[in-house]
C-alpha cells in the first residue's frame, strides 16, 4: 500500500487489519485490529491524528482528515460507507456513516446511530445514540429500531469477514479474455439489504 511518514511520524497498522494496496496512509494514522480499509481510501494524518478502533471499516474512496490538534476517530465496529468524508469528527461505537455522507469538524455520531447516505452533518453537531440523522444539513429524524441496529452489526461483521477473506486470497491478476464455462461466484456470508430484511418480516 502507499504508506508515508511525515516529520518522522509513521502510520501504524495492526497485523490483523486489511488495507487495500491502493489505499493511502499518511503520517499519524493508527489502524486497529480486524479493520478493513477499502480501495482508494485516503487517510491523511498530516495534520490531526486518524484512529480506527477494532473491527471498524472505511470503504472505497473514503477520505479521513482533520485540523491540527484534532483526532478523527472511528470507535469499535464503526462502519463507513463508500465515498464518505470524515473531517475532524468522532464516530462512536457501532455507528454507521452512509455512502457519500460528509461528517464535519467536532461533530459526534452517537453509538449505534446511522448517518443516511448523502447526508451533510455540520460542524459541531451531536447525534444522540440510536438515532437516524439525514438531510442536508442533517437533522435527527427518529430513534432506530432494534432490528435496524442488528442489521447494521451483521453488515459490519460481513466486512470483518471480508478482512479475513482478503488476507487469505486477494491477489492482483491479469483479467481473462472471456468468461469461463461454469464460472464460480464469490463465496460470502449471506447478508441482505435493510429494505429486503424489512420486506421479509
Amino acid at each position: 500500500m502507499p504508506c508515508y511518514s511525515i516529520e518522522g511520524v509513521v502510520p501504524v497498522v495492526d497485523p490483523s487489519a486489511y488495507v487495500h494496496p491502493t489505499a493511502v496512509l499518511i503520517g499519524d494514522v493508527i489502524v486497529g485490529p480486524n479493520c478493513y480499509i477499502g480501495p482508494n481510501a485516503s487517510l491523511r494524518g498530516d495534520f490531526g491524528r486518524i484512529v480506527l478502533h477494532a473491527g471498524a471499516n472505511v470503504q472505497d474512496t473514503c477520505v479521513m482528515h482533520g485540523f491540527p490538534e484534532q483526532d478523527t476517530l472511528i470507535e469499535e465496529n464503526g462502519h463507513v460507507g463508500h465515498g464518505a468524508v470524515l473531517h475532524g469528527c468522532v464516530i462512536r461505537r457501532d455507528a454507521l456513516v452512509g455512502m457519500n455522507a460528509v461528517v464535519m469538524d467536532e461533530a459526534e455520531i452517537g453509538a449505534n446511530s446511522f448517518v443516511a447516505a448523502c447526508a451533510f452533518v455540520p460542524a459541531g453537531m451531536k447525534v444522540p445514540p440510536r438515532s437516524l440523522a439525514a438531510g442536508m444539513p442533517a437533522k435527527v429524524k427518529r430513534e432506530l429500531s432494534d432490528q435496524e441496529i442488528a442489521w447494521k452489526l451483521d453488515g459490519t461483521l460481513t466486512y470483518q469477514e471480508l478482512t479475513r477473506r482478503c488476507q487469505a486470497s486477494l491477489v492482483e491478476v491479469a483479467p481473462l479474455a472471456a468468461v469461463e464455462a461454469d464460472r464460480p461466484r464469490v463465496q460470502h456470508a449471506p447478508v441482505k439489504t435493510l429494505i429486503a430484511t424489512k420486506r421479509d418480516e
Side-chain angles (χ1 to χ4, degrees):
M1 85 195 82
C3 188
Y4 304 92
S5 71
I6 186 167
E7 298 169 350
V9 181
V10 178
V12 176
V13 177
D14 187 276
S16 65
Y18 177 78
V19 180
H20 190 273
T22 62
V24 178
L25 276 56
I26 299 172
D28 197 359
V29 175
I30 302 169
V31 178
N34 303 310
C35 290
Y36 174 87
I37 309 296
N40 297 307
S42 175
L43 282 64
R44 281 183 48 209
D46 47 13
F47 291 149
R49 178 171 291 174
I50 309 292
V51 182
L52 278 69
H53 288 179
N57 68 75
V58 173
Q59 299 170 21
D60 324 49
T61 72
C62 289
V63 174
M64 294 183 69
H65 194 237
F67 284 108
E69 308 300 323
Q70 188 178 59
D71 291 358
T72 305
L73 169 65
I74 305 174
E75 291 187 343
E76 185 173 354
N77 290 341
H79 190 106
V80 182
H82 318 292
V85 177
L86 307 181
H87 203 279
C89 57
V90 174
I91 311 302
R92 294 291 181 202
R93 181 185 179 118
D94 286 300
L96 177 148
V97 176
M99 291 181 267
N100 288 315
V102 176
V103 184
M104 291 299 293
D105 301 281
E106 299 184 38
E108 182 175 322
I109 309 305
N112 297 111
S113 287
F114 293 5
V115 173
C118 297
F120 178 80
V121 179
M125 182 177 183
K126 309 299 183 196
V127 176
R130 294 181 60 100
S131 298
L132 171 64
M136 300 179 68
K139 294 186 178 359
V140 175
K141 301 294 185 180
R142 61 176 175 83
E143 186 173 334
L144 294 170
S145 68
D146 290 341
Q147 179 197 42
E148 289 167 323
I149 291 171
W151 169 81
K152 180 269 168 198
L153 180 58
D154 283 346
T156 301
L157 293 175
T158 299
Y159 266 89
Q160 291 170 5
E161 177 61 22
L162 179 59
T163 294
R164 294 184 284 274
R165 290 169 56 210
C166 289
Q167 289 172 333
S169 69
L170 191 138
V171 293
E172 187 171 0
V173 295
L176 301 174
V179 177
E180 63 270 56
D182 300 319
R183 179 175 175 83
R185 289 189 177 268
V186 173
Q187 300 300 308
H188 56 83
V191 63
K192 294 179 182 178
T193 64
L194 183 56
I195 193 168
T197 301
K198 289 180 175 181
R199 188 170 53 236
D200 294 343
E201 284 182 329

